[in-house]
Amino acid sequence: MSEVRPPRLFTKFFKWYCKAPLQESILGDLEEAFYTEVESKGQLIARWKYIWTILRFIRPGIVRSLEGTQKLNNYGMIKNNIKIGMRSILRNKVFSILNVTGLSVGLASCLLILIYVKNELSYDTFNANYDRTYRVIQHFGGRGSDLKNEILPTSEYQVWGNAPIAPALQEYYPQIESVFRFTSQFNWLVEYKGNRYQEKDVVFGDSTFYKVFSWDWLAGDAETALVRPSTIILTKKLAEKYFGNENPIGESLLMDGDELFEVTGVFEIPANSHFQVDAIISMSTFKGYRPEIFDAWGYVDFYTYFTLNEQANIHDLGEQIPDFLTKYYDTEYGYTFQFEALKDAYLNSDAGRQPGPVGSKNNIYLFISVAVFILLIACINFVNISTARSIDRAKEVAVRKTLGSRRSPLISQFLIESVLITFFAALVAVLMVSLGHGYLELFIGKQLSVDWLFSPVSLLIGLLLVLLLGVLAGLYPAFILSNYRPLQVLRGSFKNSSKGIWLRKTLVVLQFALSIMLLAGTAIVYQQLNYIRDYDKGFESEQILVIDYGGDYKVKRNIDFIKAELLKHSAVESVSVSRATPGDFFPNAGTTIETPNGEMLAKSPAIYEIDEDFIPTYDMHMVAGRNFSKSFPTDTTKALLVNEATAKLYGYSNPEDIVGKNFSQWGREGKVIGVVEDFNYVSLHSEVEPLALRYSIWWSTEKFSVKLKSTDLGSTLGELEAIWKEAVPSYPFNTYFNDMSFDNQYEADERFGIIFYSFSILAVFVACLGLFGLTIYTTNQRAKEIGIRKVLGASVQRIVTTLSFDFIKLYCIALLLAIPVAYWIMSTWLASFAYQTSIGWQVFGFAASITLAVSLLTMSFKTIGAAMSNPTKILKDE
């Protein structure tokens, strides 16, 4: 670890400006205070206080003498300009507050969005071998051996694959350093000291995990933790859940009521990992249960990751895939695989069956656009108000020029004022970020690190950006103000420049356009989320209570008895048992079905294992053939249901035609007896995929689906829990409603929508601030015109209309510009959904109406007051 020391850059800066005789004593005190702060409050706070103290020491008594140069004069001039700038800011409180508020909201919004975007881009970067880590994505397509030489799109592959590819890769490719496999999640009933819990995020994993992933290792020996059978490592959260503050190493957990697992390690996966687990059981344990699957290339239940040595090139490995398949798995089934970089796993992968949730590049691009829009609107406000106020400061400029001031000092004066306003806005923005950071975490459901934002490097970059933003925002107004001719101004013949007027109009158009685009985007996001919620998924999920018993052996042995007990309750309409329910995890199955030309075609559709009550419980519809039935005993072993997508996959455009065809699947052979209407068993981000439904033997079940007809769900759940505890005293009553579970797939979309709404509202608020400022200025400039119009008999309504008409013309131009751009941006975003709402004129009508209404309401606060003012007070000096 590197030595802790004060920031060198600021130490050098202090030595540069401080008087030589004072340097040693002051630096000694500063360093002593720094190390004291490190011990008591940590390095980050100590560095921040060190920097702040050095900046506070910039004062006349400490700054070194600059005799013999012009620097002292420049220092004095800058000091004088800062004083004048502060006076000008305080003298024009309304405009200063509008500028600072607009800029601070814009900067705070950008910082919060930056925090979110940085977190999204940081996924998996904590790994030491981040740039050299890859994973295997596999294709089980049944399309023929020609796939060995064919590169399919990534969407045709899935991350979930077989077990034997891992040792085969390490044997075939000498460039591979380490390989790590882990399985999909398993449900376990964990017992410790009489307390029982159902844990869902438990996987089996190889002992090489620490060579591939740089997780935080907290206790135990990582090298040996998962070598032996019946060993388990826990996350810090799970370890504290069972053992509190005690050392868990060497302790044992009773798993599924009949096997003891020794705790050999405690770890923590960083929050910005693309997958999370709560515990890992040694892979040697799994091998002891089912050794045959570790040689089965067609069995799917593993995720495989590996690291390359520094000299290796992943493209070289990819080119050898056909030869690899010829050596290890030369089959006509059509199996193939590719490699995907770890850096693409979270944001750039469209492979199926991901081990965890993935991010969205489109959402990131949209947020970045919103940040740019808000900052642009804030800068437009500043430029507009500054140029509009140019007439008010014309006499000041004229007097200073008459007294001999050159143009460059005037430009410096106005730029310093701009930088001061930006600096104050930045301070307010930092305060807003510190207050809003917690709400942002709450909205998106993730921990967002902000320590990097207050590091010395980030602060220095921030100061430079504030300086740059202040200069850019104030550059045009500074040049306009400094260019006034004193003779014209002092004679009273000065008029505002037409160029300045056109600039303000152009910027107002841009501001209106950005606001309309944001509101239209907000409306489309809201409309799409509602569309997803209300879309007919093809099954009924409300009032269906799922009891998850994790495939517990004791429960499975008494399924019929438990079903009968649950059905005795008056609020229970039906009960079904299955391995999965809509929205849950499900496997794929190698399935061979007879095609229209009589050939047996092998594919790998998803599979549901269900009983005869599953389809009626979820109110699904048969479009051909029949459902499973107890009237046909052979249905349990020789019958198969498919959905419409599967019928099309095997060449049947008419679902009726696949009924009666032969099939072979997972050791069963028989006939297809029926076709279920397509239902969305996964997220609406994807189209309905092929699905086979087979009758579940008792040992392959994990869940009860209980259809309720009660309105008093609270008491009903209590009564069902009592029935469960009576029938199954050994297993906890773990339940959830299927509609809530299914909708959890859209949690990320819902959170995105909330954040997008919030920032859009902030953008419109900033735009209104600028519009309010311009309205104040315009009405002040036209005060005499308003007075004359009132004297001549103009009504309040007529005056308000006259004052608002110029803005309405600009608004109409902005509307024409905003609609096509907003349509293109949001069409791109909607493309990530397989089922998407249409973008109608109503969306833009809503955005246009809201923007116009808010704008008119904002202007009315000043225009109505001006129109109702007493004309004699305005014209008394004329």
Side-chain angles (χ1 to χ4, degrees):
M1 180 180 290
S2 60
E3 181 185 355
V4 177
R5 61 176 59 187
R8 295 181 181 179
L9 180 63
F10 285 90
T11 301
K12 292 180 179 179
F13 176 60
F14 175 80
K15 290 180 179 179
W16 174 78
Y17 76 72
C18 182
K19 292 178 180 179
L22 301 176
Q23 287 184 13
E24 185 175 352
S25 59
I26 295 177
L27 269 180
D29 292 340
L30 287 176
E31 290 180 1
E32 182 179 349
F34 171 79
Y35 290 116
T36 302
E37 290 288 343
V38 169
E39 292 179 1
S40 61
K41 298 183 180 179
Q43 185 177 352
L44 181 64
I45 295 177
R47 292 171 70 88
W48 166 253
K49 286 194 173 182
Y50 184 86
I51 293 169
W52 175 241
T53 305
I54 281 178
L55 295 176
R56 288 173 57 198
F57 270 121
I58 301 177
R59 60 188 70 171
I62 294 176
V63 174
R64 68 170 63 203
S65 176
L66 300 172
E67 290 90 349
T69 69
Q70 294 298 315
K71 292 183 179 179
L72 188 59
N73 291 334
N74 289 342
Y75 171 75
M77 181 63 70
I78 292 173
K79 183 178 179 181
N80 183 62
N81 285 342
I82 291 174
K83 285 183 178 179
I84 295 174
M86 287 298 299
R87 290 171 183 168
S88 176
I89 291 170
L90 294 173
R91 186 169 56 250
N92 300 281
K93 293 183 178 62
V94 174
F95 292 107
S96 298
I97 290 173
L98 290 175
N99 273 332
V100 170
T101 304
L103 279 175
S104 61
V105 172
L107 288 171
S109 300
C110 287
L111 287 174
L112 288 172
I113 290 174
L114 178 63
I115 291 170
Y116 168 78
V117 170
K118 189 177 187 301
N119 179 75
E120 292 293 285
L121 297 176
S122 73
Y123 268 70
D124 300 309
T125 55
F126 61 85
N127 290 291
N129 299 319
Y130 173 70
D131 294 327
R132 297 190 286 119
T133 303
Y134 298 84
R135 63 183 182 180
V136 183
I137 55 176
Q138 306 180 43
H139 177 84
F140 300 84
R143 290 177 50 184
S145 59
D146 61 313
L147 278 177
K148 293 179 185 178
N149 299 306
E150 181 181 349
I151 298 178
L152 299 169
T154 310
S155 57
E156 292 286 332
Y157 293 83
Q158 61 183 39
V159 189
W160 201 38
N162 57 46
I165 194 171
L169 285 173
Q170 196 151 28
E171 179 183 70
Y172 186 80
Y173 293 108
Q175 303 97 318
I176 293 179
E177 288 183 345
S178 303
V179 180
F180 170 59
R181 289 170 304 182
F182 62 94
T183 65
S184 52
Q185 289 92 339
F186 286 84
N187 281 311
W188 289 86
L189 181 64
V190 183
E191 185 173 348
Y192 181 71
K193 291 185 177 180
N195 296 316
R196 292 193 298 268
Y197 306 91
Q198 183 182 10
E199 302 296 349
K200 296 183 178 181
D201 293 328
V202 181
V203 303
F204 293 96
D206 288 327
S207 61
T208 53
F209 66 93
Y210 68 96
K211 295 181 180 180
V212 177
F213 293 109
S214 304
W215 298 334
D216 297 327
W217 190 251
L218 306 177
D221 184 355
E223 294 186 13
T224 61
L226 292 179
V227 173
R228 295 180 288 111
S230 300
T231 54
I232 184 172
I233 60 176
L234 310 176
T235 59
K236 180 182 178 182
K237 179 184 71 174
L238 209 58
E240 291 176 348
K241 177 179 178 180
Y242 291 110
F243 306 103
N245 295 324
E246 297 177 7
N247 182 12
I249 304 301
E251 296 290 335
S252 295
L253 297 173
L254 183 64
M255 309 287 283
D256 279 356
D258 59 1
E259 187 173 0
L260 287 173
F261 282 72
E262 180 187 351
V263 179
T264 54
V266 179
F267 68 104
E268 192 166 19
I269 301 179
N272 58 339
S273 169
H274 73 281
F275 70 90
Q276 297 284 335
V277 298
D278 287 336
I280 304 177
I281 300 172
S282 61
M283 190 66 77
S284 56
T285 308
F286 199 20
K287 284 184 179 179
Y289 296 153
R290 303 185 64 185
E292 72 282 356
I293 66 176
F294 288 84
D295 296 318
W297 287 78
Y299 184 88
V300 180
D301 199 18
F302 297 84
Y303 298 95
T304 303
Y305 291 73
F306 62 90
T307 57
L308 296 179
N309 60 44
E310 295 182 356
Q311 292 75 37
N313 187 321
I314 193 65
H315 298 292
D316 295 339
L317 274 68
E319 291 176 355
Q320 299 176 55
I321 288 176
D323 294 335
F324 175 96
L325 290 172
T326 300
K327 179 177 180 180
Y328 290 97
Y329 192 46
D330 191 11
T331 175
E332 294 298 314
Y333 185 64
Y335 168 80
T336 188
F337 66 91
Q338 287 293 330
F339 304 123
E340 186 172 66
L342 179 62
K343 62 184 179 182
D344 294 329
Y346 182 69
L347 281 178
N348 298 305
S349 177
D350 57 356
R353 309 306 290 268
Q354 297 281 346
V358 295
S360 170
K361 285 192 298 183
N362 285 340
N363 287 357
I364 288 178
Y365 295 149
L366 211 54
F367 275 133
I368 291 174
S369 299
V370 171
V372 172
F373 284 4
I374 294 176
L375 194 57
L376 271 177
I377 290 172
C379 290
I380 287 170
N381 287 349
F382 184 86
V383 174
N384 267 345
I385 293 174
S386 297
T387 53
R389 288 183 56 237
S390 59
I391 295 179
D392 293 341
R393 305 198 65 177
K395 290 183 179 179
E396 173 192 343
V397 173
V399 171
R400 294 180 68 175
K401 278 192 171 185
T402 303
L403 295 175
S405 177
R406 297 193 303 269
R407 189 182 182 192
S408 56
L410 290 173
I411 293 175
S412 299
Q413 169 67 53
F414 297 123
L415 285 179
I416 286 174
E417 287 185 25
S418 174
V419 171
L420 282 173
I421 290 176
T422 309
F423 180 74
F424 292 142
L427 293 178
V428 177
V430 170
L431 178 62
M432 289 180 177
V433 169
S434 63
L435 295 174
H437 170 252
Y439 292 103
L440 183 62
E441 286 188 326
L442 182 65
F443 284 155
I444 69 172
K446 296 179 182 180
Q447 293 180 350
L448 301 176
S449 173
V450 293
D451 290 345
W452 60 271
L453 201 60
F454 298 98
S455 68
V457 175
S458 297
L459 288 173
L460 182 59
I461 293 173
L463 287 173
L464 292 175
L465 289 176
V466 167
L467 179 63
L468 179 63
L469 181 62
V471 171
L472 291 177
L475 199 59
Y476 184 81
F479 274 93
I480 292 295
L481 290 169
S482 63
N483 199 35
Y484 290 153
R485 295 179 181 177
L487 189 60
Q488 289 183 339
V489 174
L490 296 176
R491 280 181 175 176
S493 58
F494 169 75
K495 293 183 179 179
N496 204 354
S497 169
S498 60
K499 292 182 180 179
I501 294 172
W502 278 107
L503 174 67
R504 286 199 300 278
K505 289 183 177 180
T506 302
L507 293 177
V508 168
V509 167
L510 181 58
Q511 193 174 53
F512 272 131
L514 294 175
S515 300
I516 293 168
M517 289 164 61
L518 284 172
L519 284 175
T522 301
I524 293 169
V525 169
Y526 179 79
Q527 186 173 300
Q528 174 64 19
L529 295 179
N530 277 344
Y531 181 81
I532 289 174
R533 288 192 212 99
D534 301 336
Y535 187 82
D536 183 6
K537 299 182 290 289
F539 66 93
E540 181 57 56
S541 60
E542 293 185 3
Q543 295 277 94
I544 295 182
L545 180 71
V546 179
I547 305 175
D548 185 353
Y549 56 89
D552 182 74
Y553 180 79
K554 293 179 182 178
V555 176
K556 290 191 287 190
R557 293 292 292 177
N558 295 282
I559 282 178
D560 291 336
F561 170 73
I562 296 170
K563 283 183 68 173
E565 290 297 303
L566 292 171
L567 282 168
K568 289 179 182 178
H569 196 286
S570 60
V572 176
E573 186 174 329
S574 64
V575 180
S576 168
V577 65
S578 61
R579 181 176 179 179
T581 58
D584 288 341
F585 173 84
F586 55 88
N588 291 81
T591 306
T592 303
I593 297 179
E594 184 182 356
T595 63
N597 60 13
E599 296 180 1
M600 298 299 290
L601 179 62
K603 297 283 187 181
S604 294
I607 181 174
Y608 267 27
E609 296 181 81
I610 63 173
D611 66 1
E612 67 278 355
D613 296 314
F614 185 86
I615 288 177
T617 296
Y618 282 93
D619 198 21
M620 297 173 182
H621 306 291
M622 301 296 300
V623 295
R626 63 175 178 84
N627 182 24
F628 295 125
S629 173
K630 288 187 176 180
S631 302
F632 299 88
T634 57
D635 281 1
T636 59
T637 56
K638 296 183 178 181
L640 185 72
L641 299 177
V642 298
N643 67 351
E644 294 173 285
T646 300
K648 293 176 183 176
L649 179 68
Y650 286 90
Y652 296 95
S653 56
N654 183 4
E656 296 278 358
D657 296 337
I658 199 173
V659 177
K661 298 299 181 181
N662 295 315
F663 83 90
S664 173
Q665 181 194 74
W666 278 4
R668 289 187 190 178
E669 293 184 357
K671 303 285 185 181
V672 176
I673 64 168
V675 181
V676 182
E677 184 181 46
D678 281 343
F679 64 94
N680 292 92
Y681 57 94
V682 293
S683 162
L684 294 178
H685 282 276
S686 306
E687 295 182 357
V688 176
E689 297 177 357
L691 175 69
L693 303 96
R694 65 190 253 144
Y695 198 95
S696 61
I697 305 300
W698 63 271
W699 52 263
S700 64
T701 61
E702 295 187 5
K703 295 177 174 68
F704 285 105
S705 295
V706 183
K707 189 170 187 177
L708 303 176
K709 52 185 177 182
S710 170
T711 55
D712 186 5
L713 293 178
S715 61
T716 300
L717 286 176
E719 292 163 4
L720 290 177
E721 183 175 7
I723 293 173
W724 178 267
K725 287 182 177 179
E726 177 100 14
V728 192
S730 62
Y731 204 90
F733 186 63
N734 296 312
T735 62
Y736 59 86
F737 283 95
N738 181 261
D739 56 342
M740 297 177 65
S741 174
F742 191 88
D743 289 343
N744 284 342
Q745 298 178 102
Y746 308 112
E747 183 179 5
D749 296 316
E750 294 283 354
R751 293 181 185 278
F752 163 76
I754 293 172
I755 299 171
F756 192 84
Y757 306 156
S758 303
F759 283 118
S760 297
I761 291 171
L762 286 175
V764 174
F765 169 73
V766 174
C768 288
L769 287 178
L771 191 60
F772 184 63
L774 277 180
T775 306
I776 291 175
Y777 176 78
T778 302
T779 51
N780 288 342
Q781 290 296 309
R782 301 179 69 176
K784 292 180 181 179
E785 176 190 342
I786 293 169
I788 293 171
R789 286 179 179 273
K790 290 201 71 175
V791 169
L792 295 177
S795 64
V796 172
Q797 180 181 355
R798 179 65 179 174
I799 293 173
V800 170
T801 303
T802 301
L803 292 174
S804 305
F805 185 68
D806 286 342
F807 287 106
I808 293 175
K809 287 192 296 184
L810 300 178
Y811 161 83
C812 292
I813 297 171
L815 186 62
L816 295 176
L817 295 174
I819 289 176
V821 178
Y823 183 88
W824 175 74
I825 292 174
M826 296 313 298
S827 295
T828 303
W829 179 77
L830 285 173
S832 63
F833 294 87
Y835 300 89
Q836 52 188 255
T837 185
S838 59
I839 303 178
W841 64 267
Q842 300 91 338
V843 170
F844 299 105
F846 164 80
S849 301
I850 294 296
T851 306
L852 181 61
V854 171
S855 301
L856 292 177
L857 183 64
T858 301
M859 290 187 292
S860 67
F861 283 108
K862 187 63 180 177
T863 54
I864 293 176
M868 296 179 67
S869 61
N870 188 343
T872 58
K873 293 182 178 180
I874 300 172
L875 301 175
K876 63 182 179 179
D877 296 328
E878 295 298 316

